[in-house]
């Protein structure tokens, strides 16, 4: 036995739990923040506040240094080759928009094809659709089966010689299932397409090695991985980013500007127009320190154990259906479910009255729910700081829902 | 046994066994209402003759709050004049905003079962969906 319960001690690293008595099971929406992260953000403003990358005086140089230290921590966390490949944005959505518009306008032409997985969050679907419309490219959806799985046949069918981009989430925010990135990358590269991976639900929960995955782009948000809201990351392979035009233009992303000409800055500044959320970036660096102190492998094992407990509990309740795989190891901390005859809003309301926070609705993935034939659902999403007691409380509350809504189940 | 939730018997009964959830053929007034925050939708059908709401019904998909609210609303307004229905709608909106008096809530009869919504901002849109649709029919479709 690993010392699974030793994780319970880490709850004390999170100030919110000294007040919040509710079981917080909405971690796929955002995670809580440990003291160290909150302090790092405050310390930036108390000791280093000045505009990074601009001033020549010591304070600004130190602010720059703080941002660049965080950039190197992010690089290390996902094993990118160079800090030139780490671009800071305001969230994963901005990272995706940056890549979609910049890559597509620089590399695609009318009649090219962009493949988007049907499982995607709207944020990894709509930017590609807008870019496709702008260029006259076609969109084709990579479909999953009822278990949320992409088969090799479907990958081979969907990605063809006309395909220039494949956009896919590593972990679905609805089914929690991990996509076969190796198969997708292999097929896409064979066809001459790049792979854009949305890591919003994977980077906080499992080891990410962009060189081993060989994805061309990766986007994720800081706030889902213990850092402050307002910071996202776009990773891209240097040789690809280098040839892409900037997305946002403005301050601090140029080498020189005359009235007629502009020379853009080198990577990563080319994609970082305007003042960055430096304090938030520093907090992301500190969040990564926290992850490293716990070891992301151990975090994953802990979350898989909690997932198993929740999965088995939900599966045993009559009239409750888990969306996606029937194997709990495929759920990576995310369990979406329906309760027969009870609308997800009512499910969420009842759980809320029992002190349990979950998400209800379409989870910004309406096309996926339509594809799976589900109108809307409820979702519990876990983080290592959740406890077995919280899972048990959640299960026991779900088991009372139908009765409380007037059904005469025995 | 359980923590108290606001799902009381009246609400649950109207959700489980709605009286007015069905189609009306040849309905004179018919309007779709959508709750944009969740995608729930409802179609309200009314037959109004001589300024009196003779018959009414609804169809659609939604949570218990939206379904019960629609069913209770139709109970209250069927047989009433258009002006009376408008007054009841105004009272209901006042109750949801938390500004209605006890006497006013009493006038709303079973709709008073939804009074706690005034403390539940996330559910206001569910509760008012049918009433908002009714109000649109009465003020815009009837000239």
């Amino acid at each position: 036995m690993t010392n699974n319960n030793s994780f319970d001690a880490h709850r004390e690293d999170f100030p919110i739990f000294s007040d919040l008595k509710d079981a917080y099971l909405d971690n796929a929406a955002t995670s809580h923040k440990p003291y160290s992260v909150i302090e790092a953000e405050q310390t930036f403003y108390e000791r280093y506040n000045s505009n990074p990358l601009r001033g020549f005086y010591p304070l600004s140089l130190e602010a720059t240094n703080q941002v660049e230290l965080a950039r190197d921590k992010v690089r290390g966390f996902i094993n990118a080759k160079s800090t030139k490949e780490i671009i800071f944005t305001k969230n994963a959505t901005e990272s995706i928009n940056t890549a979609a518009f910049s890559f597509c306008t620089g590399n695609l032409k009318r009649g090219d094809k962009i493949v988007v997985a049907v499982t995607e969050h709207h944020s990894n679907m709509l930017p590609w659709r807008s870019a496709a419309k702008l260029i006259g490219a076609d969109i084709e959806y990579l479909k999953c089966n009822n278990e949320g799985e992409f088969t090799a046949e479907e990958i081979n069918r969907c990605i063809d010689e006309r395909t220039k981009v494949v956009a896919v989430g590593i972990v679905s925010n609805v089914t929690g299932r991990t996509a076969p990135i190796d198969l997708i990358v292999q097929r896409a590269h064979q066809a001459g397409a790049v792979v854009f991976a949305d890591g919003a639900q994977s980077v906080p929960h499992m080891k990410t090695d962009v060189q081993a995955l060989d994805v061309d782009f990766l986007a994720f948000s800081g706030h889902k991985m213990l850092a402050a809201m307002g910071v996202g990351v776009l990773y891209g392979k240097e040789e690809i980013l280098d040839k892409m035009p900037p997305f946002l233009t403005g301050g601090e992303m140029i080498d020189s500007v005359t009235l007629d000409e502009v020379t853009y800055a080198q990577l990563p500044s080319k994609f970082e127009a305007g003042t960055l959320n430096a304090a938030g970036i520093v907090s992301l660096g500190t969040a990564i320190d926290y992850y490293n102190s716990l070891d992301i492998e151990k975090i994953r094992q802990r979350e898989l154990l909690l997932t198993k407990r929740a999965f088995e509990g939900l599966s045993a309740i009559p009239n409750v259906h888990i969306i996606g795989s029937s194997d709990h190891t495929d759920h990576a901390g995310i369990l979406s479910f329906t309760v027969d005859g009870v609308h997800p809003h009512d499910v969420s309301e009842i759980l809320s009255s029992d002190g349990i926070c979950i998400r209800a609705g379409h989870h910004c993935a309406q096309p996926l729910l339509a594809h799976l034939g589900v109108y809307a659902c409820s979702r519990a999403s876990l983080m290592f700081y959740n406890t077995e007691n919280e899972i048990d409380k959640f299960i026991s509350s779900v088991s009372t829902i139908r009765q409380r809504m007037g059904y005469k189940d025995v | 046994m359980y923590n108290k939730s606001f799902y009381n018997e009246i609400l649950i009964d109207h959700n489980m066994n709605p009286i007015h959830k069905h189609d009306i053929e040849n309905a004179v007034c018919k309007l779709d209402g959508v709750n944009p925050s969740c995608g729930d939708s409802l179609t309200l059908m009314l037959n109004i003759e001589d300024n009196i709401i003779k018959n009414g019904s609804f169809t659609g998909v939604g949570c218990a709050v939206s379904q019960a609210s629609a069913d209770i609303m139709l109970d209250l307004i069927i047989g009433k004049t258009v002006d009376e229905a408008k007054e009841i709608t105004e009272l209901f909106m006042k109750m949801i905003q938390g500004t209605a008096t006890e006497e006013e809530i009493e006038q709303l009869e079973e709709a008073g079962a939804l009074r706690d919504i005034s403390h539940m901002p996330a559910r206001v849109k569910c509760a008012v969906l049918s009433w908002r649709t009714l109000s649109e029919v009465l003020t815009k479709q009837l000239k």
Side-chain angles (χ1 to χ4, degrees):
Chain A
M1 276 303 290
T2 52
N3 49 349
N4 189 39
N5 291 328
S6 73
F7 265 93
D8 289 355
H10 292 296
R11 274 176 86 79
E12 287 167 23
D13 299 337
F14 293 78
I16 200 154
F17 294 130
S18 55
D19 275 339
L20 183 76
K21 298 303 167 215
D22 289 355
Y24 182 79
L25 305 181
D26 195 17
N27 295 288
T30 198
S31 72
H32 290 311
K33 328 298 176 197
Y35 281 104
S36 61
V37 163
I38 297 166
E39 282 160 13
E41 197 174 38
Q42 186 170 349
T43 302
F44 178 86
Y45 286 120
E46 287 174 353
R47 290 174 50 194
Y48 307 114
N49 182 54
S50 59
N51 207 322
L53 307 166
R54 283 157 175 79
F56 293 100
Y57 43 88
L59 192 63
S60 175
L61 294 176
E62 187 49 39
T64 307
N65 188 33
Q66 293 282 320
V67 168
E68 294 311 312
L69 273 173
R71 197 188 302 276
D72 194 51
K73 287 176 187 176
V74 172
R75 183 206 60 73
F77 195 62
I78 61 169
N79 194 32
K81 277 186 195 159
S82 156
T83 49
K84 290 180 186 170
E85 300 178 320
I86 306 299
I87 294 156
F88 288 122
T89 61
K90 74 167 186 281
N91 48 36
T93 297
E94 187 180 284
S95 301
I96 299 166
N97 276 275
T98 301
F101 286 95
S102 171
F103 182 82
C104 292
T105 51
N107 294 280
L108 270 66
K109 56 181 192 309
R110 179 171 290 277
D112 284 344
K113 192 169 103 177
I114 299 172
V115 168
V116 178
V118 73
T119 41
E120 293 318 289
H121 188 282
H122 296 159
S123 65
N124 195 29
M125 183 177 279
L126 300 181
W128 300 106
R129 279 165 45 168
S130 300
K133 201 169 171 192
L134 199 69
I135 290 156
D138 300 324
I139 293 277
E140 185 168 358
Y141 294 104
L142 180 70
K143 304 268 175 62
C144 64
N145 62 21
N146 274 342
E147 293 243 310
E149 180 188 20
F150 299 108
T151 62
E153 295 72 49
E154 171 63 5
I155 292 167
N156 289 334
R157 182 201 66 77
C158 197
I159 304 171
D160 59 17
E161 303 307 315
R162 210 154 59 82
T163 308
K164 293 291 179 282
V165 181
V166 180
V168 61
I170 298 179
V171 167
S172 157
N173 76 313
V174 175
T175 67
R177 189 155 192 154
T178 307
I181 297 296
D182 50 345
L183 291 183
I184 292 169
V185 166
Q186 196 185 10
R187 176 68 182 162
H189 287 174
Q190 210 175 47
V194 297
V195 173
F196 182 96
D198 178 356
Q201 299 297 349
S202 64
V203 174
H205 305 285
M206 60 183 71
K207 174 112 190 79
T208 305
D209 180 334
V210 288
Q211 293 186 63
L213 288 170
D214 200 22
V215 292
D216 302 282
F217 297 98
L218 175 78
F220 55 98
S221 280
H223 74 91
K224 292 191 204 287
M225 53 179 290
L226 315 180
M229 293 185 181
V231 178
V233 173
L234 171 63
Y235 157 84
K237 284 181 181 165
E238 187 179 346
E239 62 271 25
I240 299 175
L241 288 176
D242 217 22
K243 294 191 196 107
M244 284 162 46
F247 173 52
L248 301 174
T249 54
E252 210 49 54
M253 51 75 71
I254 51 93
D255 273 345
S256 67
V257 182
T258 67
L259 288 180
D260 303 314
E261 299 282 337
V262 51
T263 311
Y264 295 118
Q266 298 297 304
L267 292 173
S269 304
K270 183 170 80 173
F271 290 104
E272 293 179 344
T275 297
L276 295 168
N277 177 0
I281 290 168
V282 170
S283 88
L284 176 57
T286 308
I288 288 173
D289 291 340
Y290 186 89
Y291 267 96
N292 291 338
S293 74
L294 260 61
D295 182 353
I296 192 143
E297 266 312 320
K298 286 190 182 142
I299 287 175
R300 171 136 173 102
Q301 291 314 314
R302 157 77 168 188
E303 290 176 353
L304 286 174
L305 272 174
L306 293 173
T307 306
K308 179 170 187 272
R309 194 178 185 92
F311 185 95
E312 286 171 353
L314 277 183
S315 303
I317 305 171
N319 301 303
V320 169
H321 310 280
I322 296 172
I323 293 170
S325 176
S326 49
D327 179 348
H328 65 84
T329 59
D330 286 330
H331 282 270
I334 293 176
L335 290 166
S336 293
F337 62 98
T338 56
V339 180
D340 288 341
V342 185
H343 191 282
H345 282 181
D346 299 318
V347 170
S348 159
E349 193 72 59
I350 289 180
L351 291 182
S352 171
S353 71
D354 287 352
I356 298 151
C357 315
I358 59 145
R359 174 82 190 268
H362 51 62
H363 314 294
C364 298
Q366 290 180 356
L368 170 62
L369 291 185
H371 177 64
L372 295 173
V374 179
Y375 172 71
C377 60
S378 305
R379 178 188 71 191
S381 54
L382 313 176
M383 196 92 183
F384 61 86
Y385 47 60
N386 287 125
T387 64
E388 294 184 348
N389 282 343
E390 288 179 317
I391 306 287
D392 295 349
K393 189 172 150 183
F394 161 66
I395 296 299
S396 100
S397 181
V398 173
S399 68
T400 64
I401 288 173
R402 277 184 47 99
Q403 224 178 322
R404 286 155 85 176
M405 289 306 289
Y407 290 94
K408 307 280 177 230
D409 298 340
V410 180
Chain B
M1 181 161 68
Y2 305 134
N3 287 353
K4 198 172 155 278
S5 75
F6 87 106
Y7 294 97
N8 50 48
E9 270 170 42
I10 296 171
L11 212 153
I12 284 174
D13 190 47
H14 279 279
N15 176 50
M16 293 280 284
N17 312 300
I19 306 155
H20 305 290
K21 190 172 180 177
H22 53 79
D23 267 311
I24 297 181
E25 278 181 46
N26 314 318
V28 177
C29 303
K30 193 168 176 178
L31 190 66
D32 297 329
V34 177
N35 181 348
S37 58
C38 61
D40 283 354
S41 63
L42 167 146
T43 303
L44 182 67
M45 286 156 277
L46 295 175
N47 272 332
I48 302 171
E49 284 169 39
D50 303 328
N51 219 31
I52 291 172
I53 300 169
K54 294 278 187 194
N55 197 6
S57 74
F58 74 103
T59 56
V61 191
C63 62
V65 175
S66 71
Q67 301 293 291
S69 186
D71 204 51
I72 293 170
M73 176 188 85
L74 285 160
D75 260 357
L76 281 173
I77 63 160
I78 291 170
K80 299 279 193 325
T81 67
V82 169
D83 284 340
E84 284 167 338
K86 282 183 185 168
E87 273 172 38
I88 295 169
T89 306
E90 271 172 38
L91 277 185
F92 184 83
M93 295 300 185
K94 264 180 97 174
M95 178 182 78
I96 296 298
Q97 286 155 14
T99 57
T101 63
E102 283 302 321
E103 290 75 43
E104 286 172 325
I105 293 174
E106 217 151 280
Q107 289 176 49
L108 285 168
E109 299 172 30
E110 284 197 325
L114 287 157
R115 62 185 298 168
D116 284 347
I117 295 286
S118 63
H119 317 295
M120 301 166 68
R123 304 307 293 277
V124 165
K125 283 180 182 162
C126 316
V128 303
L129 176 59
S130 54
W131 296 85
R132 214 166 24 87
T133 311
L134 171 68
S135 172
E136 216 166 305
V137 171
L138 299 183
T139 55
K140 290 185 188 155
Q141 289 200 351
L142 296 177
K143 289 281 159 76

